[in-house]
Amino acid sequence: MSRQNRVLMVFNAKVKERKQQLQKHGRGAVPYSDYIALTENVDVDYIDRETVDSTLWARLIRRFVGYAVALVLVAFVKSRKYDTVYADCEPIGLPLAFLFKLSKRKKRLLFIAHWLTPFSRTVFLDYLKVQKQIDTVFVHTLAQQTVAIARCGFTSKQIQLIPYQIDTAFWSQQAYEAQLAKENRTQPIPKKPYICSAGLECRDYGTLIKAIEGLDIELKLAVGSHWSHTTGAGLEGELPPNVKVKFYNYTELRELYANAALVVVPTRDVDHAAGITVILEAMGMGKTVISTRSVGQSDVINDKRSHSRGDFKRISLSTFLRMFASDELSELQTGFYVNPGEVEEIRRAIAYLLENPEKAKEIGRNASLVVNEVMTVGHFKDRVLAHVIGATYVPEVFPETVML
């Protein structure tokens, strides 16, 4: 990369800490993050939470208003030396755009936007009018692409749709089997089939719990203790005896997925891709995923079913994969979508897949193939840097794992 395009990257994470974990344990033992990929073998500089922690004035700001604000201010101060600034989230990108507008500082600003419609974001767009200070906004779903253009005042040239990502060298059956071999263990056989889910953001576990009433199956939820930060997720009060809630670290979560019959991701009907990380992790593990088809989550899973029993509105075939996957893979069934809050529809989907385990395995294999072709960390790095650095960027070959 020519130093005429000096790039500063801003990450709301601790990059060095994750790099040390990877160096100690290796790929496949610790998830490889996008912020690691974007800073390796590339001529860019970066700041992160560790930069804030090592800077006295920034540390004081962080103490009162948090890391995001401190990172914005550190990035603004340091940006004088750079031509291009990239941020990994809109709570950093939008305030930076406002500071560039106030200071009349001309920079190329690019950032990822996961969710553009909360007031804390739209205030910068509706009232502070920072759109012209932004070169590119990366979004992960067709819904947010539409929101950015139709609601937020961006032009189509400013918005780039790029798929979300996971590390398929970690989230794979092969990596799990390697872990078992290293620990001299055999894969455990559950006493009874279980389904699982993970995460808290905009979740609707209350609907899922109702859907499994009377089924001879356990539900395991990787959401920490059910009394901590779960308001609105449907986990308040006493849970049924077949619902288990606990905290899982990365390797424990991988094992949870590996031995599950299904992974179900129930969410509220929100306009961003809540649940996408869990969906892709499970798909990478070769698991069939049942997900709520919310306004914002309707294009990652390819559900080719043309009808369902009952009076439920039929979901549409994803066009997202047609844009990024090969013709062959874009036609594969990769999971099930269900409508928001529909207890009976979720129940029927769960029951069908439990009664047809070979079909579930086939769909899981399809899902893993698609994730490996379209939504790996390596793909994400190439797509982002093609815009951040430009035509001089040469894509790398990443050791992604494909589940066959």
Side-chain angles (χ1 to χ4, degrees):
M1 179 186 72
S2 169
R3 292 306 290 176
Q4 292 180 345
N5 180 22
R6 297 162 298 179
V7 176
L8 176 67
M9 293 192 163
V10 188
F11 300 111
N12 194 5
K14 293 188 176 182
V15 178
K16 183 178 179 181
E17 181 179 287
R18 179 56 62 85
K19 283 185 175 180
Q20 290 173 338
Q21 293 173 348
L22 284 162
Q23 290 171 355
K24 180 178 180 180
H25 301 286
R27 285 290 299 272
V30 176
Y32 187 66
S33 301
D34 60 298
Y35 51 83
I36 302 297
L38 288 169
T39 57
E40 287 191 336
N41 304 316
V42 183
D43 188 12
V44 301
D45 297 326
Y46 72 86
I47 61 175
D48 65 351
R49 288 187 171 196
E50 290 163 334
T51 310
V52 170
D53 292 340
S54 63
T55 307
L56 178 59
W57 64 266
R59 194 163 62 244
L60 291 174
I61 291 172
R62 179 216 68 195
R63 181 178 298 177
F64 291 102
V65 291
Y67 272 111
V69 175
L71 280 166
V72 168
L73 295 176
V74 173
F76 179 71
V77 170
K78 290 183 176 292
S79 67
R80 293 187 182 93
K81 301 178 181 179
Y82 297 90
D83 307 293
T84 298
V85 179
Y86 163 85
D88 68 351
C89 60
E90 65 275 33
I92 293 173
L94 289 170
L96 263 180
F98 177 61
L99 292 180
F100 289 157
K101 181 177 181 178
L102 282 180
S103 64
K104 298 184 179 180
R105 192 177 294 180
K106 302 295 183 181
K107 303 290 177 183
R108 289 183 68 238
L109 174 61
L110 309 91
F111 60 87
I112 294 173
H114 303 275
W115 192 11
L116 284 167
T117 51
F119 178 75
S120 60
R121 277 78 150 174
T122 58
V123 65
F124 291 97
L125 302 169
D126 294 346
Y127 301 104
L128 302 179
K129 305 293 184 182
V130 301
Q131 288 89 338
K132 290 184 179 180
Q133 277 63 47
I134 299 167
D135 183 89
T136 303
V137 178
F138 300 108
V139 296
H140 296 311
T141 65
L142 292 166
Q144 282 296 297
Q145 181 185 51
T146 300
V147 164
I149 297 170
R151 161 69 181 82
C152 297
F154 290 104
T155 67
S156 58
K157 291 183 179 179
Q158 288 176 288
I159 305 302
Q160 292 294 327
L161 176 64
I162 58 172
Y164 199 62
Q165 47 71 34
I166 58 162
D167 175 18
T168 51
F170 181 87
W171 301 107
S172 71
Q173 186 68 23
Q174 292 96 323
Y176 170 58
E177 291 172 359
Q179 174 194 342
L180 292 177
K182 182 178 180 180
E183 297 173 357
N184 196 26
R185 291 194 292 137
T186 58
Q187 186 164 349
I189 300 175
K191 295 180 180 179
K192 65 163 56 177
Y194 70 84
I195 62 175
C196 71
S197 191
L200 281 173
E201 184 187 25
C202 300
R203 295 301 196 270
D204 180 15
Y205 288 126
T207 294
L208 176 56
I209 290 170
K210 291 178 183 177
I212 65 167
E213 286 181 1
L215 295 180
D216 187 22
I217 193 168
E218 280 193 333
L219 170 61
K220 297 185 179 184
L221 301 177
V223 296
S225 59
H226 73 269
W227 56 83
S228 175
H229 307 295
T230 60
T231 301
L235 296 178
E236 298 79 15
E238 185 176 354
L239 299 176
N242 63 333
V243 177
K244 309 297 182 184
V245 177
K246 63 171 286 189
F247 171 80
Y248 293 79
N249 63 30
Y250 285 126
T251 54
E252 291 169 340
L253 182 59
R254 181 171 60 186
E255 183 156 333
L256 181 73
Y257 292 147
N259 296 304
L262 305 167
V263 178
V264 185
V265 186
T267 67
R268 302 197 302 273
D269 194 10
V270 293
D271 65 353
H272 68 291
I276 191 170
T277 302
V278 176
I279 291 170
L280 295 186
E281 289 170 354
M283 290 172 71
M285 295 294 300
K287 294 297 173 178
T288 295
V289 177
I290 301 170
S291 172
T292 302
R293 183 190 185 275
S294 65
V295 171
Q297 177 55 266
S298 62
D299 45 26
V300 174
I301 291 172
N302 208 11
D303 188 346
K304 294 175 66 66
R305 296 175 297 162
S306 60
H307 67 280
S308 66
R309 291 175 293 175
D311 296 324
F312 301 109
K313 182 180 178 182
R314 186 64 253 142
I315 58 182
S316 60
L317 180 66
S318 169
T319 58
F320 182 80
L321 293 182
R322 294 181 184 277
M323 300 171 64
F324 295 99
S326 63
D327 291 343
E328 180 182 1
L329 292 188
S330 67
E331 294 298 322
L332 296 176
Q333 173 98 15
T334 61
F336 283 6
Y337 273 132
V338 293
N339 288 296
E342 294 287 359
V343 173
E344 290 303 317
E345 192 177 10
I346 297 177
R347 183 182 179 87
R348 283 198 300 271
I350 292 171
Y352 171 79
L353 291 167
L354 291 177
E355 293 166 3
N356 296 273
E358 291 305 313
K359 183 65 176 179
K361 289 180 181 178
E362 176 190 336
I363 294 172
R365 285 192 295 268
N366 293 345
S368 180
L369 289 170
V370 169
V371 167
N372 276 278
E373 180 172 297
V374 177
M375 291 171 275
T376 70
V377 175
H379 292 120
F380 179 85
K381 174 179 181 175
D382 289 346
R383 289 164 181 144
V384 168
L385 290 185
H387 292 278
V388 173
I389 294 178
T392 59
Y393 174 67
V394 178
E396 295 183 70
V397 177
F398 282 78
E400 312 293 0
T401 301
V402 180
M403 178 172 177
L404 300 175

